[in-house]
Amino acid sequence: MKKYNLAVVGATGMVGESMISILEERAFPVEQLTPLASKRSLGQKVNFRSEDLEIIDLDNFDFKGIDFAFFSAGAAVSREFAPLAAKAGAVVIDNTSEFRYDDEIPLVVPEVNPSALSEYRAKNIVANPICSTFQLMIALAPIHNHTPIKKINIATYQSISGAGRSAIELLEKQLTDNNTSSTDSHQLFAHNVIPQIGEFQDNGYTLEEIKLDWDTKKIHVEEYHGFTECRYCHKPMSHNVKTDGQFKVIYTKCGCTRMLSLIHI
């Protein structure tokens, strides 16, 4: 079996750590894994297949010889370094918002629109949608393939991990402190639901809600109407998505269950 040279940009972040863990868990055929991060992380190590790998400075790294580069260090980092990696010959898998709405870059959920991967050659970059879109599209696509969606209302209940490691640490502190409360600098996450993720835009929706709408339309469901609400809730990991929809053809509960049973993850 062919093996590949991989780079993970943002390797010391929560998502980067999860990427490395999943690569090992799924026994991806890795020849060499290179963990990359900013100068602030130099001296740190990540563990992969029982080996401690030292963090390498992204600023001075040459991507030549890398087959796949996974980026999850924020949109600004992807904007600067992903094109350099792609130009050096690496296929970039970008987990930020930077390239999602570029018409020349495919936005892919492998279980839903794998054929879109063929479009990566235009820029050697593949974009990922926001995390809630993954869950939503895997559930909706089998039904939408049989009868197009007319309207969907979406509510997400997202874990605090979406706000970063510091938010999880704050949640854990609040859960053990009975006197905690909201301040100007800290939201109260413990035993609470925060009805806003991202800044409100001119249309009254937050940026996270707009992203979910854009992602869904670009990946699979081009035209639909409905409402989207995104919230943080008091759990460290795992997002939930609730949706109700109207379809052009009415199916029974058993019929929908049959279609959902065809999902392979």
Side-chain angles (χ1 to χ4, degrees):
M1 178 186 294
K2 182 177 179 180
K3 294 186 177 182
Y4 301 92
N5 293 322
L6 308 185
V8 176
V9 178
T12 57
M14 292 184 64
V15 177
E17 289 176 352
S18 294
M19 285 179 174
I20 292 170
S21 176
I22 291 170
L23 287 168
E24 180 171 349
E25 176 187 318
R26 298 198 173 187
F28 192 88
V30 178
E31 179 67 37
Q32 181 178 353
L33 187 142
T34 303
L36 301 170
S38 68
K39 288 182 173 62
R40 295 192 308 272
S41 298
L42 293 182
Q44 296 185 40
K45 297 180 179 181
V46 297
N47 189 272
F48 179 66
R49 298 190 302 204
S50 301
E51 182 182 355
D52 288 331
L53 305 177
E54 288 196 13
I55 295 297
I56 294 175
D57 182 11
L58 173 62
D59 286 338
N60 299 315
F61 185 71
D62 183 354
F63 283 90
K64 186 176 181 180
I66 296 295
D67 297 302
F68 295 98
F70 295 85
F71 275 73
S72 191
V77 172
S78 290
R79 187 180 311 128
E80 180 176 358
F81 291 98
L84 298 178
K87 187 176 180 180
V91 177
V92 171
I93 313 296
D94 188 64
N95 195 45
T96 76
S97 61
E98 179 60 26
F99 303 109
R100 287 174 184 151
Y101 314 116
D102 186 321
D103 290 338
E104 294 185 282
I105 293 176
L107 184 65
V108 178
V109 174
E111 297 84 355
V112 175
N113 63 335
S115 61
L117 284 170
S118 63
E119 302 168 16
Y120 84 89
R121 292 181 179 85
K123 293 189 176 180
N124 239 27
I125 298 174
V126 177
N128 290 345
I130 63 172
C131 40
S132 297
T133 304
F134 266 102
Q135 298 169 263
L136 178 68
M137 293 309 303
I138 288 171
L140 286 182
I143 303 175
H144 179 67
N145 290 340
H146 284 79
T147 173
I149 293 169
K150 293 170 59 178
K151 178 180 179 181
I152 48 175
N153 296 319
I154 305 164
T156 73
Y157 298 86
Q158 299 176 213
S159 66
I160 300 302
S161 60
R165 195 187 305 276
S166 61
I168 290 183
E169 293 171 350
L170 178 60
L171 170 64
E172 292 172 345
K173 181 177 183 296
Q174 291 175 349
L175 287 171
T176 57
D177 184 353
N178 294 327
N179 297 317
T180 190
S181 60
S182 294
T183 67
D184 290 339
S185 58
H186 293 120
Q187 288 183 309
L188 177 61
F189 291 128
H191 312 296
N192 201 8
V193 175
I194 311 297
Q196 178 184 350
I197 301 178
E199 297 299 319
F200 281 103
Q201 307 300 299
D202 292 341
N203 63 0
Y205 287 93
T206 66
L207 184 57
E208 184 81 357
E209 292 162 348
I210 293 171
K211 288 177 183 177
L212 183 55
D213 179 63
W214 286 345
D215 286 357
T216 300
K217 289 177 177 175
K218 182 173 180 179
I219 291 168
H220 200 58
V221 187
E222 294 82 6
E223 295 183 12
Y224 73 89
H225 301 283
F227 298 94
T228 302
E229 298 176 339
C230 295
R231 309 173 176 95
Y232 277 136
C233 58
H234 63 106
K235 55 183 180 177
M237 295 287 182
S238 184
H239 295 347
N240 294 328
V241 179
K242 173 190 173 295
T243 182
D244 60 79
Q246 295 180 6
F247 301 87
K248 290 188 177 180
V249 175
I250 298 175
Y251 278 88
T252 64
K253 180 179 178 180
C254 289
C256 289
T257 301
R258 263 197 313 273
M259 284 182 268
L260 292 174
S261 70
L262 300 175
I263 298 173
H264 297 288
I265 300 177

